[in-house]
Amino acid sequence: MSDKKPNTNRGKTTAKNTSKKLASGKVTKPLRPASAAKSGQTDSKSSDTRKAKLFGRLKKNEDQGAYTSVKNRKKMVFNKATGASSRGGFEYDKNRFRTVWGMALVVLALLIGRAYYIQVANAQFYQDKGNELITSVRTQKSYRGMITDRNNLPLAVSAPLATVSFSPHDYSREYYELKRIKITNPNSPQLQARMQKRLDNMDLTRLAAAANIPVSELKKVTAVDDSIDVTDEAAVKAALPSGAGSHYLPLLNKVTPEIAQGVSSLDFPGVYEKNFFQRYYPQPQPNSQLLGFMGQNANDPEGGYEGRAGIERQFEEDLAGDDGKVLVLKDAKQNSLKEIKQVEPEIPGKDVALTIDSRLQYLLYKELEKVGRLQQARWSTGMVVDVQTGEVLALSTWPSFNSNNLNEMTGENQRNRALLDVFEPGSVMKPFTVAAALDSGKYTSTTLIDTNPGSIRVRGYTIRDHNNLGTINLATLLQKSSNVASTKIALSLPADAITNMQKQFGFGSKTPLKFPAEGSGLVVTPEEKETSRRATISYGYGMEATVAQVAQAYSALAAGGVMHPLTLVKSDKVQPSKRIMAHEQAMSIVQMLESVTEEGGTAKAAAIDGYRVAGKTGTSRRINPKGGYYTDQYRNVFAGMAPASNPRLVGVILVEDPRGLHYAGLTAAPVFHNVMKEALRLYNVPLDKPLKTEAQ
């Protein structure tokens, strides 16, 4: 028969296969229902059952996340999903990819920013920090300039010196460290050999021989203990030297660099050398107050020295120069290994040439010392000036001190008395009273003054001469040093006439020397009614002056009324001069002053054979701090010039409170004689007076 039964197995096979696919969990598209005409009634029912199971399973899987639509997948980024397939979606992987790379870019940006901050924005700071660990800047002391006299002979020089020290602590630490390296490296024979060689070089006998000290002393301070366990850090630390002298033991102190080289060249562990300059004064006592001295600068971290007085202080900037700076490489122990480069150049100090003649300076000091000791004076001082230039040729004070040993210095012997101390000059001011008289037109060199009876009453005070001189001229006034004649001149002139002339000659103001702490003196112009003050000022009381001011004023007289500013430093520049008095008047006063050193004068001891000498003595009482004047204490001054016919040199000598002789003609005048006699010879000044013969 052609009629065939429907193939029911086919449908079963399809369903079976379909069931297997569903079981695998891989569903790619919805299933279509089978045709009712082909499957029949039974197949239709069976198909509905399978469809129900299939769609139920799909719904369950969808609820569990096994299959989601694109719409639902977008929500998965924010909603927690379940199921294995939730980790493999494209949208989810893309967001995770962006998150990871975003974080990586942020970290990279932070790293780049940090690198920029360290290497660009703040590079110098970290470079400096790094350099501090391996380098240091060492000050290179500049050479201090010399101070020389007018003939270029050194008065102050800086000598290079060195101090070599030994650190027992550093030596022992190095010794134990080398032994530790040797013991802990048994498999490195080359390293052990190097360590042993360095240990052999640490033999203290070598150092003792070079430094000329007992080796037993070095062994005692190092206290090396070969029995300790060098691998035990605590034991080594306990064995290292400690206490006073454990880090510093002087081997050579202030020696020349050549001597120090003998020890420092050993390259011995714990040996250190410090180089510096020390000031040295070849002629200390004659020049100590003038040159001054060096003292430690409290503001210098390197402990440098600076001028503290005198020329050293006045010309500190020129003499000192500028220190240099050197960058040095250092090791872990802060020891300098080598110089890397010059950071700042060293600029040596300039030399300062003084107008002082060291030969005359020495002679002046010895004479001041002689009179000071002989007369048991408190002190003595003096200076010599070149009339034609104003240059100070000699300036010294006794007692003095050795400026190479400041332990000898006291508050008294360090004072430059000629420039710092002010005093009532007394009768050495009378030539300027005569100058005021001549300048007024009321007086001439032949004008007579009545001094009878040898005294005069002014405002209840009696002013006396030593003797009744009677009627005298101006030359006799100076020769006999008449207080009465000086008083009559002052009272006959306007109240300010005498003081104006004194100021014109430089009294009452500092000299152009500009010496540190120089005194300015005091000149007070009296009122018209202050007759007693007008009188006392005429013979040098009631005012204050310095030796330098007296020397400057007498130099102006000697130069014919021309003021040449005093100077202590040689210079190519010519200092401007000023005429303060007519030449004829000035020279007439010089001629009057000649009589002071001649027969009948108060300073015969100042006369020099072969030369005409002009000058004036001044013997004044010392002021009593309790009021008034001492009756047994005097101040002796002599100011003079030679040769009087054409003055070349001026000298001023002061002896304070001589206990032997009380008059300037007997104390200060002989010092002037001895100093000026040699000075005229040194400068080959021609004679202007016949030499005395033995017959005479």
Side-chain angles (χ1 to χ4, degrees):
M1 289 178 64
S2 59
D3 296 335
K4 296 181 180 179
K5 293 182 180 181
N7 191 352
T8 58
N9 293 331
R10 187 178 179 182
K12 293 179 179 180
T13 302
T14 304
K16 185 177 181 180
N17 293 336
T18 303
S19 257
K20 290 180 179 180
K21 291 182 178 182
L22 292 174
S24 66
K26 297 180 180 180
V27 180
T28 60
K29 62 180 178 177
L31 300 177
R32 291 182 298 175
S35 176
K38 292 183 179 180
S39 60
Q41 187 75 22
T42 304
D43 293 342
S44 175
K45 184 177 181 180
S46 177
S47 176
D48 291 338
T49 302
R50 289 195 299 272
K51 288 168 60 178
K53 292 180 178 181
L54 174 62
F55 283 104
R57 187 180 299 168
L58 290 175
K59 189 175 187 311
K60 181 178 180 182
N61 290 339
E62 183 176 352
D63 293 339
Q64 294 179 352
Y67 178 84
T68 58
S69 64
V70 174
K71 180 179 180 180
N72 292 332
R73 286 183 191 176
K74 294 180 178 179
K75 299 178 180 179
M76 293 296 292
V77 177
F78 306 100
N79 297 332
K80 183 178 179 182
T82 60
S85 65
S86 65
R87 295 191 299 270
F90 171 76
E91 291 294 335
Y92 180 78
D93 288 344
K94 181 173 68 174
N95 290 324
R96 183 171 61 180
F97 175 83
R98 290 174 176 171
T99 301
V100 171
W101 273 103
M103 294 174 62
L105 289 175
V106 171
V107 173
L108 180 62
L110 291 175
L111 292 175
I112 293 175
R114 180 62 176 171
Y116 176 82
Y117 175 77
I118 294 176
Q119 299 183 24
V120 180
N122 208 24
Q124 191 61 43
F125 172 79
Y126 288 98
Q127 288 178 9
D128 294 341
K129 285 294 184 182
N131 289 336
E132 287 180 6
L133 300 177
I134 61 173
T135 62
S136 64
V137 177
R138 187 184 67 195
T139 300
Q140 190 176 43
K141 290 295 182 181
S142 62
Y143 177 80
R144 189 175 182 87
M146 290 194 303
I147 301 176
T148 65
D149 76 344
R150 65 185 301 107
N151 300 312
N152 294 322
L153 294 177
L155 301 178
V157 295
S158 290
L161 296 177
T163 294
V164 181
S165 62
F166 177 60
S167 172
H169 181 278
D170 292 351
Y171 172 87
S172 300
R173 183 179 60 183
E174 180 74 9
Y175 181 85
Y176 292 135
E177 178 64 17
L178 294 178
K179 288 194 65 177
R180 185 193 66 79
I181 296 174
K182 181 181 176 183
I183 293 174
T184 56
N185 292 276
N187 298 325
S188 301
Q190 294 182 349
L191 179 60
Q192 287 187 330
R194 289 200 304 270
M195 296 302 103
Q196 185 59 48
K197 183 177 180 181
R198 293 176 62 179
L199 286 169
D200 293 340
N201 289 333
M202 294 180 67
D203 186 3
L204 291 173
T205 305
R206 297 174 57 238
L207 180 60
N212 194 25
I213 60 175
V215 67
S216 58
E217 183 179 347
L218 294 179
K219 290 182 178 180
K220 180 180 179 181
V221 295
T222 54
V224 173
D225 186 0
D226 291 320
S227 64
I228 67 171
D229 182 6
V230 293
T231 61
D232 186 350
E233 185 177 348
V236 170
K237 185 176 181 180
L240 292 176
S242 60
S246 62
H247 289 273
Y248 182 82
L249 175 67
L251 300 178
L252 299 173
N253 188 30
K254 295 182 179 180
V255 297
T256 62
E258 292 77 14
I259 296 177
Q261 181 67 18
V263 177
S264 58
S265 62
L266 296 177
D267 196 21
F268 207 85
V271 173
Y272 304 102
E273 179 182 351
K274 182 179 180 181
N275 296 288
F276 58 96
F277 291 100
Q278 178 166 307
R279 207 63 165 166
Y280 176 71
Y281 302 92
Q283 289 186 357
Q285 281 84 2
N287 301 300
S288 59
Q289 299 97 342
L290 172 62
L291 301 181
F293 57 91
M294 304 290 293
Q296 191 167 9
N297 184 356
N299 298 322
D300 188 351
E302 299 290 334
Y305 284 77
E306 63 180 357
R308 302 299 290 272
I311 298 297
E312 295 279 22
R313 177 183 174 184
Q314 184 177 358
F315 295 93
E316 167 65 22
E317 186 174 347
D318 293 334
L319 290 168
D322 294 324
D323 292 340
K325 294 187 181 299
V326 180
L327 185 67
V328 297
L329 182 67
K330 59 185 181 180
D331 59 14
K333 300 174 185 177
Q334 303 302 307
N335 299 322
S336 297
L337 298 178
K338 67 174 183 178
E339 296 182 358
I340 300 176
K341 65 176 181 178
Q342 186 91 24
V343 179
E344 293 182 9
E346 171 196 354
I347 302 177
K350 300 177 182 177
D351 294 341
V352 174
L354 301 182
T355 59
I356 296 294
D357 188 326
S358 58
R359 301 168 298 176
L360 193 57
Q361 180 84 342
Y362 178 79
L363 177 64
L364 173 62
Y365 175 77
K366 297 307 291 184
E367 290 297 328
L368 293 173
E369 180 184 25
K370 180 180 177 180
V371 70
R373 294 187 184 279
L374 185 64
Q375 300 297 331
Q376 300 178 13
R378 293 176 183 266
W379 47 267
S380 56
T381 186
M383 64 188 300
V384 179
V385 178
D386 188 327
V387 172
Q388 299 174 358
T389 62
E391 294 178 340
V392 179
L393 302 179
L395 172 61
S396 192
T397 298
W398 175 88
S400 185
F401 65 95
N402 185 350
S403 44
N404 295 315
N405 180 15
L406 297 184
N407 292 327
E408 298 182 4
M409 184 179 67
T410 66
E412 291 297 318
N413 63 21
Q414 70 169 304
R415 292 184 63 82
N416 191 328
R417 303 283 185 178
L419 298 175
L420 273 60
D421 287 14
V422 296
F423 61 96
E424 285 185 321
S427 295
V428 292
M429 297 300 297
K430 288 175 181 176
F432 308 104
T433 299
V434 172
L438 295 177
D439 186 66
S440 68
K442 292 184 178 182
Y443 295 84
T444 66
S445 58
T446 59
T447 301
L448 298 177
I449 303 173
D450 185 7
T451 65
N452 287 301
S455 63
I456 184 173
R457 294 280 295 177
V458 179
R459 289 276 183 173
Y461 294 95
T462 301
I463 299 173
R464 293 184 175 87
D465 287 337
H466 293 289
N467 298 299
N468 183 2
L469 302 176
T471 302
I472 60 176
N473 58 18
L474 297 181
T476 306
L477 181 158
L478 296 177
Q479 181 186 36
K480 300 296 184 179
S481 193
S482 173
N483 295 335
V484 175
S486 298
T487 298
K488 287 194 171 184
I489 290 175
L491 297 180
S492 67
L493 300 177
D496 60 352
I498 303 295
T499 54
N500 285 346
M501 182 59 66
Q502 291 173 348
K503 291 178 181 179
Q504 199 167 332
F505 274 90
F507 293 100
S509 57
K510 294 182 180 181
T511 68
L513 296 177
K514 299 180 180 179
F515 197 81
E518 179 183 356
S520 59
L522 179 66
V523 175
V524 179
T525 301
E527 299 291 337
E528 182 70 28
K529 61 182 179 179
E530 294 179 309
T531 54
S532 59
R533 179 181 291 273
R534 291 167 59 187
T536 56
I537 286 178
S538 69
Y539 52 86
Y541 280 84
M543 62 169 296
E544 293 179 343
T546 65
V547 169
Q549 290 173 340
V550 175
Q552 179 178 246
Y554 271 75
S555 296
L557 277 178
V562 177
M563 175 75 76
H564 296 293
L566 294 183
T567 178
L568 268 171
V569 179
K570 291 185 67 176
S571 175
D572 295 333
K573 297 180 180 179
V574 178
Q575 298 295 325
S577 301
K578 180 177 65 174
R579 176 165 291 282
I580 58 177
M581 190 177 186
H583 181 270
E584 295 77 9
Q585 292 178 350
M587 295 313 296
S588 67
I589 295 175
V590 171
Q591 292 176 5
M592 294 178 194
L593 290 173
E594 279 192 70
S595 62
V596 175
T597 64
E598 295 174 347
E599 193 67 33
T602 58
K604 288 175 57 178
I608 302 173
D609 189 16
Y611 293 97
R612 293 165 56 188
V613 177
K616 184 70 186 73
T617 56
T619 301
S620 58
R621 296 182 183 272
R622 299 183 72 241
I623 296 177
N624 189 336
K626 296 180 181 179
Y629 294 88
Y630 287 109
T631 58
D632 60 345
Q633 295 185 19
Y634 300 88
R635 178 179 298 109
N636 296 167
V637 184
F638 180 83
M641 62 196 73
S645 59
N646 183 21
R648 172 70 191 279
L649 301 174
V650 162
V652 180
I653 305 297
L654 184 151
V655 181
E656 184 76 6
D657 190 22
R659 308 307 295 176
L661 303 172
H662 297 159
Y663 294 103
L666 302 176
T667 58
V671 176
F672 172 88
H673 165 86
N674 295 336
V675 173
M676 191 61 65
K677 178 181 177 180
E678 291 300 316
L680 294 169
R681 182 185 63 83
L682 285 174
Y683 287 93
N684 296 317
V685 178
L687 301 176
D688 66 341
K689 182 180 179 181
L691 291 171
K692 292 182 180 180
T693 63
E694 294 183 2
Q696 292 176 328

